[in-house]
């Protein structure tokens, strides 16, 4: 029996927790007190008091005032505070990873891995704090100098999703922070305790450095209006939202009406092409983890396998054998590979998707079912399923956030690429091949249309060093590594005249 009270206590989680914070201080709110239950065992974890209108306004005023001073602090000094946050997360990795696993339902290894991503992005942001580079340009006018520089935007609103309760926040917040912005985080209403625990950890660092109003938290567990409030608030310069395509379209519309900036990380319908030249030992491992990791609740989950007809039957047999070895149960037990779905609504969506795929003509390879019994008494456990389909099926064209894998056969690589691209989403993709010409064709402009394209690794497991995001209905945003920091800043072009004359551009004469 795992004693959850120990790691909850270590993280400062009480029976009832405030859900509004300006950094190191918790703001009293008269919002609803909402109970949070674990999908692992159906038990209540704790309660969170959500942010009311008055508390929200306090956070906006504090963060607006804080930005005026925070932007004046040098970027390397901002990076030093991020370094301390990374060290605080290192000390609390085990406890926070366990809470993420227990509150969300992902395996303990994945929960710990998510906290490691937070630590890694802190390290990345510390280095970035000394590399916020601009460019210099040659002016066509004599004795003039041109260059560009980057300035912080202001307040960044971060709306994160339940499947990565803490990591995606850190991708945004740590980068935005070293860029000189202040952040307001609205976590998923399904996983507020992981956010409260994170705030408890970083609050000590912020208090030590006398920093307030830079990393703020607001929660919305019942009425679900804070996301719309953040999107419509003209005081918030950038809204970074992670979630479904439907949610992203709503956020983009609201932010667009006020001509604000949005960074969207939305749905994926990710495919893995398995070539006749693939190393099937690598491919089977990548396919299984990609399909059942986080119980299929990743935006980068492998949802479609596009398999060459010459290896199709063999690979299908390998899948069936591998799926027979998957252990499903309490994710805090490290012997288990897959935990529950997030809640009973997710289970209902899983059941509806299976029903629809059969109605459209999908052929059962491994049928999915809701698992029953004492170990599965939360009602959130399901079995991973596999169906043979056609890519044009309506259900295949949508993102089902569950461990449902579709098999599609192909003959020519160009056909496989066309199948992969023929969905509305464009997040992640991969090809399994030992033939370099196939890999290069897949990576060419005429190849994968996704923001992420991998060779001989799966569709999930992105590293923080690269820009993360996708095209089409995935939203077009980029977070985390590379030069994604530019999304959190405003570009300014500067021209300096150091002569005693005023020559005009393009040779224009204006004498008087």
């Amino acid at each position: 029996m795992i004693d959850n009270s120990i790691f909850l206590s270590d993280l400062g989680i009480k029976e009832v927790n405030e859900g509004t914070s300006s950094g190191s201080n918790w703001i009293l709110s008269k919002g609803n007190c909402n109970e949070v239950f674990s999908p692992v065992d159906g038990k209540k974890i704790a309660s969170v008091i959500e942010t009311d209108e008055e508390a929200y306004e306090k956070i906006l005023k504090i963060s607006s005032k804080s930005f005026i001073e925070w932007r004046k602090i040098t970027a390397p000094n901002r990076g030093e505070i991020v370094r301390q946050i990374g060290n605080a997360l290192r000390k609390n990795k085990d406890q926070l990873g366990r809470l993420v696993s227990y509150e969300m339902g992902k395996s303990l290894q994945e929960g710990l891995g998510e906290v490691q991503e937070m630590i890694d992005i802190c390290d990345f942001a510390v280095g970035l704090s000394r590399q916020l580079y601009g460019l210099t340009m040659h002016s066509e006018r004599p004795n003039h100098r041109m260059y560009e520089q980057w300035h912080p935007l202001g307040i960044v609103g971060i709306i994160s999703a339940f499947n990565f309760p803490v990591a995606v926040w850190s991708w945004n917040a740590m980068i935005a922070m070293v860029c000189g912005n202040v952040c307001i985080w609205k976590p998923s209403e399904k996983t507020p305790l992981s956010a409260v625990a994170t705030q408890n950890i970083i609050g000590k660092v912020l208090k030590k450095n006398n920093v307030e109003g830079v990393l703020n938290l607001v929660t919305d567990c019942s009425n679900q209006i804070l996301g719309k409030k953040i999107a419509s608030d003209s005081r918030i310069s950038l809204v970074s939202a992670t979630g479904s395509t439907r949610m992203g379209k709503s956020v983009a519309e609201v932010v667009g009406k006020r001509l604000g900036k949005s960074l969207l990380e939305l749905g994926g319908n990710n495919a893995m092409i398995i070539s006749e030249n693939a190393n099937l030992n690598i491919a089977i491992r990548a396919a299984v983890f990609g399909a059942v990791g986080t119980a299929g609740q990743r935006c980068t989950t492998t949802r479609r396998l596009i398999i060459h007809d010459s290896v199709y039957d063999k690979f299908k047999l390998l899948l069936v054998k591998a799926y027979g070895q998957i252990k499903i149960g309490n994710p805090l037990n490290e012997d288990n590979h897959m935990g529950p779905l997030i809640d009973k609504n997710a289970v209902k969506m899983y059941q509806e998707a299976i029903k629809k795929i059969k109605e459209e003509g999908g052929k059962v390879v491994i049928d999915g079912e809701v698992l029953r019994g004492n170990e599965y008494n939360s009602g959130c456990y399901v079995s991973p399923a596999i169906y043979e389909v056609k890519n044009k099926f309506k259900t295949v064209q949508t993102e089902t956030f569950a461990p449902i894998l579709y098999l599609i056969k192909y003959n020519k690589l160009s056909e496989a690429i066309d199948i992969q691209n023929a969905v509305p989403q464009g997040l992640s993709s991969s090809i399994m091949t030992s033939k370099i010409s196939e890999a290069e064709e897949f990576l060419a402009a005429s190849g994968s249309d996704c923001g992420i394209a991998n060779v001989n690794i799966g569709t999930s497991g992105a590293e923080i060093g690269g820009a993360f995001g996708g095209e089409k209905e995935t939203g077009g945003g980029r977070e985390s590594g590379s030069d994604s920091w530019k999304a959190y800043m405003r570009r300014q072009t500067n021209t300096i005249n150091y002569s005693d004359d005023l020559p005009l551009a393009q040779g224009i004469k204006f004498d008087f």
Side-chain angles (χ1 to χ4, degrees), residues 17-52:
N17 302 271
E18 289 292 343
T20 310
S21 173
S22 58
S24 60
N25 293 318
W26 290 96
I27 307 296
L28 297 180
S29 171
K30 297 178 181 178
N32 295 327
C33 183
N34 297 281
E35 297 178 327
V36 182
F37 295 88
S38 170
V40 173
D41 53 20
K43 294 180 180 179
K44 176 185 173 182
I45 308 174
S47 297
V48 177
I49 300 173
E50 67 184 9
T51 305
D52 65 3

Side-chain angles (χ1 to χ4, degrees), residues 118-133:
M118 301 174 77
I119 295 167
D120 292 344
I121 199 66
C122 286
D123 290 347
F124 181 90
V126 172
L128 178 65
S129 68
R130 294 180 182 271
Q131 300 180 79
L132 302 174
Y133 299 132

Side-chain angles (χ1 to χ4, degrees), residues 189-359:
E189 66 278 3
K190 299 180 181 182
T191 52
L193 289 172
S194 294
V196 170
T198 299
Q199 201 74 18
N200 283 335
I201 293 169
I202 66 175
K204 296 175 183 178
V205 174
L206 298 173
K207 185 174 183 178
K208 176 184 174 183
N209 289 276
N210 196 30
V211 173
E212 195 67 17
V214 172
L215 294 176
N216 306 275
L217 175 69
V218 295
T219 55
D220 185 4
C221 305
S222 61
N223 52 30
Q224 299 182 28
I225 62 172
L226 271 184
K228 293 181 179 178
K229 183 178 285 291
I230 288 171
S232 62
D233 196 327
S234 60
R235 294 170 292 183
I236 297 177
S237 302
L238 170 69
V239 178
S240 176
T242 303
S244 68
T245 296
R246 178 188 57 80
M247 179 277 292
K249 288 181 177 179
S250 175
V251 168
E253 181 180 4
V254 175
V255 175
K257 282 184 178 179
R258 62 177 177 87
L259 296 180
K261 295 184 177 182
S262 59
L263 193 165
L264 303 175
E265 295 292 349
L266 311 176
N269 194 348
N270 316 295
M272 179 188 299
I273 297 172
I274 300 174
S275 161
E276 60 184 319
N277 301 298
N279 180 326
L280 297 187
N281 290 327
I282 294 176
I284 193 68
R285 290 171 61 85
V288 174
F289 174 74
V292 306
T294 325
Q297 297 172 114
R298 290 184 177 218
C299 53
T300 55
T301 289
T302 304
R303 308 207 179 276
R304 297 174 294 145
L305 291 184
I306 305 169
I307 310 169
H308 193 272
D309 53 16
S310 67
V311 295
Y312 184 89
D313 291 336
K314 181 178 181 180
F315 198 78
K316 185 168 68 170
L317 288 174
L318 290 173
L319 277 173
V320 171
K321 181 180 179 181
Y323 268 50
Q325 300 172 24
I326 294 171
K327 296 178 181 178
I328 305 169
N330 188 324
L332 291 173
N333 181 341
E334 294 188 56
D335 291 332
N336 292 325
H337 303 109
M338 190 179 111
L341 295 179
I342 184 65
D343 56 25
K344 291 181 180 179
N345 284 333
V347 174
K348 184 178 179 181
M349 290 174 61
Y350 161 88
Q351 292 175 302
E352 290 175 349
I354 289 175
K355 179 182 177 182
K356 289 177 181 177
I357 203 65
K358 291 178 180 178
E359 290 174 348

